[in-house]
Amino acid sequence: MEGAELLAQMRLNGAVPRHIAIIMDGNGRWARERNLPRPLGHRSGMKAVREVVEGAIEAEVEVLSLFAFSQENWQRPLLEVNALMSLLQEYIAREADELDARGVRVRILGDLSRLSPGAAAAAEGLMTRTAGNQRLTLNLFISYGARAELVRAARLLAGDVRDGRLALEDIDEDTLSQRLYTSDCPDPDLLIRTSGEQRISNFLLWQVAYAELYMSPVLWPDFTRRHLYEAILAFQARDRRFGRVPV
Ligand code: FPP
């Protein structure tokens, strides 16, 4: 089926996922298959980001969360780390006008203290500029790890208890959720991972508790909005029970 047909089918089926999270994997393999240096795989991956953002807007998804750089990725060769950081800055410089015009609210989430001053300033600028947009929230996770996010939330809770802002007995799932980077988003309904790997890799561990998992064999640079729509159609065919039995 063509993209437009898939989109029409999706609308016929009814509800689309409110929040889609994606582990974008396979840039390195895509480059290797073409005898290209790895950074060129990431550059092609940036085009796929653009494509999927467009697809999410067309599908009327509310939140799109993309795992762009993990805490572990800092251990890659310096050349590759630098290439990824400059790609982030290039993405922001090239896409800011279009994202803003399309009504996308961009949030860059993770340990931003490790970014270069230039990249951090660009990230802050884009977040401030698009803060009032409402069509799609695009969460870009950079220098992010879910365990570190949970440790951060635990520290915030402990600080609030210590300073008398929160009673110990008021610590529950809600008060913890409110201290995650995603506090104002619904949890992901659908988690997609590309390139055939079947792992969560420390992405949004708390938030994906009830997400449907969709593993695609496609390498990230080849992922198009058609693949996104296929994932949404597969999601619509799933039977989500949240641990309950059908009534
Ligand atoms: C995983 O592929 C991908 C990454 C570590 C980086 C993701 C980055 C992008 C898609 C481009 C930049 C995006 C923005 C928004 C600036 P891999 O390198 O682990 O691939 P491999 O497993 O095949 O080696």
Side-chain angles (χ1 to χ4, degrees):
M1 267 198 271
E2 289 301 313
E5 282 175 83
L6 293 171
L7 198 59
Q9 184 60 52
M10 231 162 58
R11 297 215 168 109
L12 268 178
N13 287 352
V16 297
R18 292 181 67 193
H19 182 171
I20 300 181
I22 307 184
I23 301 173
M24 310 184 285
D25 197 8
N27 295 349
R29 275 161 284 169
W30 185 94
R32 197 170 60 226
E33 280 175 4
R34 288 161 181 78
N35 278 320
L36 295 170
R38 293 175 58 85
L40 283 186
H42 297 313
R43 175 165 290 280
S44 289
M46 188 168 76
K47 293 198 192 109
V49 168
R50 188 190 164 97
E51 166 79 10
V52 164
V53 168
E54 294 274 323
I57 292 173
E58 277 177 21
E60 297 178 16
V61 169
E62 285 171 45
V63 185
L64 179 66
S65 287
L66 302 180
F67 201 3
F69 192 90
S70 71
Q71 284 197 322
E72 293 72 32
N73 288 156
W74 288 113
Q75 285 149 37
R76 290 192 177 191
L78 191 62
L79 206 67
E80 185 170 345
V81 169
N82 288 343
L84 278 162
M85 286 300 133
S86 15
L87 265 187
L88 173 66
Q89 272 179 268
E90 187 180 325
Y91 177 79
I92 293 174
R94 276 167 59 156
E95 304 288 328
D97 284 346
E98 171 112 15
L99 288 166
D100 194 25
R102 302 278 253 137
V104 180
R105 175 173 74 126
V106 183
R107 295 185 322 156
I108 297 167
L109 305 174
D111 180 7
L112 303 190
S113 70
R114 296 186 71 178
L115 298 191
S116 69
E124 285 297 337
L126 183 61
M127 285 195 278
T128 309
R129 174 171 175 188
T130 61
N133 292 340
Q134 290 186 347
R135 197 148 171 220
L136 171 75
T137 293
L138 172 62
N139 293 326
L140 286 179
F141 286 86
I142 310 269
S143 188
Y144 170 85
R147 287 185 173 181
E149 179 187 32
L150 286 164
V151 168
R152 176 179 171 273
R155 282 217 182 110
L156 291 170
L157 284 172
D160 285 346
V161 171
R162 181 195 58 201
D163 299 340
R165 286 187 295 267
L166 185 74
L168 186 59
E169 46 286 359
D170 286 337
I171 295 182
D172 58 14
E173 294 187 10
D174 282 341
T175 49
L176 195 148
S177 291
Q178 283 156 16
R179 284 154 183 84
L180 299 176
Y181 293 124
T182 48
S183 58
D184 63 348
C185 296
D187 285 339
D189 306 290
L190 173 62
L191 173 68
I192 299 173
R193 181 170 188 146
T194 59
S195 88
E197 305 291 349
Q198 318 248 344
R199 287 187 293 278
I200 309 283
S201 298
N202 204 15
F203 188 43
L204 300 176
L205 292 180
W206 173 281
Q207 297 91 327
V208 299
Y210 291 102
E212 292 294 327
L213 307 183
Y214 181 89
M215 308 302 181
S216 164
V218 176
L219 301 178
W220 178 251
D222 293 328
F223 200 83
T224 62
R225 76 186 76 189
R226 194 170 57 78
H227 297 112
L228 179 73
Y229 299 159
E230 281 168 359
I232 295 176
L233 285 169
F235 167 87
Q236 289 175 324
R238 302 265 177 98
D239 175 21
R240 298 185 87 198
R241 290 193 297 276
F242 302 95
R244 299 186 291 261
V245 291
V247 282

